[in-house]
Amino acid sequence: MKNSMANVQARREKILSAVDQSEPVAVEGLAQRFNVSITTLRRDLKALSDMGQVKWHHGLVERTNVVTASNHGSRSGIELIKDTIAAAVPAYIVKNSTLFVNSSSLCWRAINQLAIMPLTIITNNIKATECVRHPETSIILTGGEIRYPKESLVGTVAMQILETMQSDYTLIGCDGISVAGGVTTQNIYEAQINSTMISRTKQKVICVADYRKVGVTSNYHVADLTGVDILITDNFANEKVVRDLRRQGIDVIQVSN
């Protein structure tokens, strides 16, 4: 009988723990340790490599803790995953809409993808002004205090501006989305900004999050799951969490690179 996905995910977590604790580990040694075939172990390593979690070469495995080149080319697995998620965003936005966008790096990537259509983008991300955009797109910065190193705009001024506006859509990145915690962030200064964007959206709130954020509850609450209409993530996201989020009424879109 084939392993359930839960068992596969548990084994992959154990593989990561084993690699974390030592120098590069031999593939054969890992297969013996976890009592699986070399073929099964290689399948696990391929998935973990695609996720940007490990580097696997010459029969040795080591943990990837920083953005490095992978077997996909000059970008790491996680960078490719983010690009794929960002590329899926335009399909859920209607041209000539007004769009709130928060300061997450994934949203920044999505702004570049949205250059195919005219929009009004209202954002607290200073770097949005450097993005590729449609010639008829307007980018409006909220103003406010600049928080480094992320270069996001927060504080009273940003809040006051957002409270005078409404958007058709909100595109929001997060540090966690889970049934227990809803949408959460690590940054207390951005939590209220993100919450206001969501509350002042007329049509749909689109959350973007790679697999590392799905099922996670971070420090500061942004919104309940009832505030999210669509989650765009990747096919490495925990299956059980994805099912639970769908049961909460969220349209979960999983993309593959």
Side-chain angles (χ1 to χ4, degrees):
M1 182 176 179
K2 291 185 177 180
N3 285 334
S4 69
M5 193 59 203
N7 290 337
V8 172
Q9 288 173 336
R11 184 176 64 246
R12 290 174 183 174
E13 287 296 325
K14 290 177 182 177
I15 290 170
L16 290 176
S17 295
V19 174
D20 267 342
Q21 294 170 7
S22 62
E23 296 297 319
V25 180
V27 171
E28 290 186 1
L30 284 173
Q32 292 173 1
R33 177 171 178 174
F34 297 110
N35 194 30
V36 295
S37 68
I38 291 290
T39 300
T40 297
L41 199 281
R42 285 175 177 163
R43 188 160 50 241
D44 288 339
L45 293 177
K46 173 64 167 59
L48 292 171
S49 176
D50 287 348
M51 294 162 75
Q53 296 274 27
V54 300
K55 291 191 293 183
W56 170 33
H57 52 91
H58 303 303
L60 296 175
V61 187
E62 59 183 315
R63 186 67 188 266
T64 302
N65 293 318
V66 296
V67 174
T68 59
S70 74
N71 57 3
H72 290 284
S74 61
R75 293 175 297 167
S76 72
I78 192 62
E79 295 298 295
L80 281 169
I81 288 169
K82 287 182 177 181
D83 285 343
T84 306
I85 292 171
V89 169
Y92 301 93
I93 304 292
V94 176
K95 67 179 182 178
N96 296 314
S97 298
T98 296
L99 179 66
F100 285 152
V101 182
N102 81 340
S103 61
S104 82
S105 61
L106 224 174
C107 286
W108 177 85
R109 292 168 191 260
I111 292 174
N112 284 285
Q113 296 291 334
L114 288 164
I116 62 173
M117 67 181 79
L119 296 165
T120 299
I121 296 174
I122 302 166
T123 181
N124 66 328
N125 188 341
I126 292 177
K127 294 179 182 177
T129 59
E130 303 168 3
C131 291
V132 179
R133 59 185 180 273
H134 189 279
E136 296 177 29
T137 288
S138 297
I139 293 183
I140 300 170
L141 296 179
T142 60
E145 177 189 354
I146 303 175
R147 299 293 303 184
Y148 293 98
K150 200 172 180 181
E151 296 185 36
S152 60
L153 295 163
V154 297
T156 304
V157 172
M159 285 294 302
Q160 288 175 341
I161 290 293
L162 288 170
E163 286 171 352
T164 67
M165 299 176 172
Q166 285 189 311
S167 69
D168 299 303
Y169 300 91
T170 282
L171 179 62
I172 191 163
C174 64
D175 292 308
I177 179 167
S178 66
V179 173
V183 181
T184 51
T185 179
Q186 293 179 357
N187 192 318
I188 191 171
Y189 300 102
E190 295 182 17
Q192 194 173 13
I193 296 290
N194 296 344
S195 179
T196 301
M197 287 180 173
I198 290 173
S199 69
R200 300 193 66 78
T201 304
K202 294 187 290 183
Q203 294 187 35
K204 292 186 181 294
V205 173
I206 303 167
C207 182
V208 287
D210 65 64
Y211 70 92
R212 301 171 302 171
K213 315 293 178 61
V214 177
V216 171
T217 300
S218 195
N219 303 66
Y220 303 105
H221 183 260
V222 171
D224 295 333
L225 291 181
T226 53
V228 178
D229 299 289
I230 299 170
L231 168 64
I232 305 178
T233 187
D234 54 81
N235 60 356
F236 297 117
N238 184 287
E239 281 192 355
K240 180 181 183 304
V241 176
V242 168
R243 287 196 302 270
D244 290 343
L245 292 173
R246 285 176 173 148
R247 289 191 189 104
Q248 296 295 315
I250 296 175
D251 184 8
V252 182
I253 310 301
Q254 290 184 273
V255 298
S256 58
N257 58 342

